[in-house]
Each structure stands twice: as structure tokens, then as C-alpha cells.
């Protein structure tokens, strides 16, 4: 009798012939994630502070940390993944050497953020013209991310370079800032 997942032409492997797979050892990141998450497990709404703490410590929230966080907070992996993907701040991969976040909120857009984003991406070799999602340069040195409001609406357009906020940006001012940053590395 064919198995319930039989596809024509595919070999039929009875369930009792399944080869057991070893359970991988937890990664160093997963152990660190557990230690950090446990500090927040008893706080009401502790998931967000725990995710921030993990990212602050590791630079990102590793994918293999999601089941660990879910276990600590008695949530499903889908719930933790949903929070990670809902908030633009969180990343699941290590960041590039230099991360530039360009504000894409209405005030910044009205003051030229689209042109600034295109210039930043072109200058750093990240993504296409005005691309609306995170992109990384081919050499991995730069990462450009859109963010939706840095809270500097009266000083638009704004961006951050490795977390340092800069406002009233022009293409030439960005060029000077990034040249200074690259010179420091």
C-alpha cells in the first residue's frame, strides 16, 4: 500500500525504515539567547525587552534563538517570529559592518528622503534605485535599511549611521559623513 505522501515515480519508503537523525547540539548563540531571555521571563510583556536585549548583545536575534525564546515565554515559534518580523528594528542575520537606516516616513519623504535613499544605495552599492527593503553591498561592508520614523520630523530628511542620528541631510552631507565613517574604520 502506498504511503499517504506518495508521488508517482517517487520511491515508497515505509515509516519503519526512517533513519533517525541526530539532534543538533544547541549553538553558542542559542545558549546566550536563553541566558538573556530568562532575565525577562517574569516581566509582563517581557518578550520585547528580551528581543531588544538579545539584539543588543549579539547584533541580531539568531534564527535558532526563536524556539528558545518561544520556550522561555511559553509562546509558539510563530508568535515570536511574528513579533520579530512586525518590528523593523529586529534583524535575524548579523548586520553588515556599517548600517545606514534612512527614514521613509511622510515628513522625510516630503523633504526628499526618496532621493536621499536612492543616493545612499547608489553610493554604498546597496540594492536598486530607492529600494524599499533592506539591502547589503556585495562586499558586506554596508547595509541600507528603510525605517519608518526616527522622530525627527521637524529636521527632515533624517537617517542613522551605525545608530548615530543625522538630520537635515543632503546627498553631499551624507557623502561627507560616510567618508568620515569609512576613514575611521
Amino acid at each position: 500500500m502506498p504511503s499517504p505522501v506518495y508521488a508517482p515515480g517517487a520511491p515508497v519508503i515505509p515509516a519503519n525504515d526512517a533513519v533517525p537523525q541526530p539532534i543538533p547540539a544547541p549553538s553558542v548563540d542559542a545558549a546566550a539567547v536563553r541566558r538573556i531571555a530568562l532575565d525577562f521571563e517574569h516581566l509582563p510583556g517581557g518578550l520585547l525587552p528580551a528581543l531588544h536585549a538579545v539584539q543588543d548583545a549579539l547584533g541580531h536575534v539568531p534564527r535558532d534563538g526563536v524556539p528558545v525564546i518561544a520556550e522561555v515565554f511559553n509562546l509558539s515559534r510563530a508568535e515570536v517570529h511574528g513579533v520579530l518580523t512586525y518590528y523593523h528594528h529586529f534583524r535575524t542575520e548579523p548586520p553588515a559592518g556599517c548600517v545606514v537606516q534612512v527614514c521613509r516616513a511622510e515628513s522625510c519623504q516630503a523633504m526628499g528622503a526618496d532621493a536621499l535613499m536612492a543616493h545612499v544605495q547608489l553610493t554604498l552599492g546597496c540594492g536598486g534605485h530607492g529600494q524599499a527593503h533592506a539591502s547589503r553591498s556585495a562586499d558586506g561592508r554596508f547595509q541600507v535599511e528603510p525605517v519608518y520614523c526616527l522622530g525627527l520630523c521637524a529636521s527632515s530628511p533624517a537617517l542613522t549611521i551605525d545608530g548615530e542620528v543625522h538630520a537635515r541631510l543632503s546627498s553631499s552631507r551624507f557623502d561627507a559623513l560616510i567618508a568620515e565613517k569609512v576613514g575611521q574604520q
Side-chain angles (χ1 to χ4, degrees):
M1 171 176 225
S3 72
V5 286
Y6 175 75
V12 176
I13 301 173
N16 60 355
D17 286 347
V19 178
Q21 298 296 319
I23 298 172
S27 72
V28 174
D29 284 349
V33 168
R34 179 175 301 286
R35 279 193 308 277
I36 294 166
L38 286 170
D39 289 341
F40 298 91
E41 75 175 320
H42 298 295
L43 290 178
L47 176 61
L48 277 176
L51 292 173
H52 280 284
V54 168
Q55 184 156 301
D56 289 347
L58 304 177
H60 68 294
V61 179
R63 293 181 197 280
D64 62 351
V66 170
V68 173
I69 294 167
E71 179 187 331
V72 168
F73 287 96
N74 195 28
L75 299 169
S76 71
R77 287 181 281 169
E79 288 171 304
V80 175
H81 177 77
V83 172
L84 278 175
T85 56
Y86 178 79
Y87 293 102
H88 71 266
H89 172 76
F90 297 119
R91 58 176 63 96
T92 56
E93 298 295 328
C98 178
V99 177
V100 178
Q101 296 179 316
V102 181
C103 183
R104 303 300 302 256
E106 290 80 4
S107 177
C108 284
Q109 284 187 33
M111 297 301 289
D114 290 339
L116 180 62
M117 174 66 109
H119 177 77
V120 168
Q121 289 175 326
L122 181 65
T123 301
L124 301 180
C126 297
H129 176 76
Q131 195 169 339
H133 56 81
S135 56
R136 191 181 285 241
S137 62
D139 62 7
R141 290 178 56 206
F142 300 102
Q143 183 170 327
V144 177
E145 301 174 345
V147 293
Y148 296 91
C149 200
L150 292 171
L152 295 167
C153 301
S155 303
S156 299
L159 58 70
T160 68
I161 300 175
D162 288 339
E164 187 177 325
V165 179
H166 302 278
R168 293 192 174 98
L169 264 280
S170 63
S171 296
S172 60
R173 184 148 177 258
F174 170 76
D175 292 344
L177 288 168
I178 204 68
E180 181 182 326
K181 182 73 175 177
V182 169
Q184 293 173 357
Q185 292 179 346

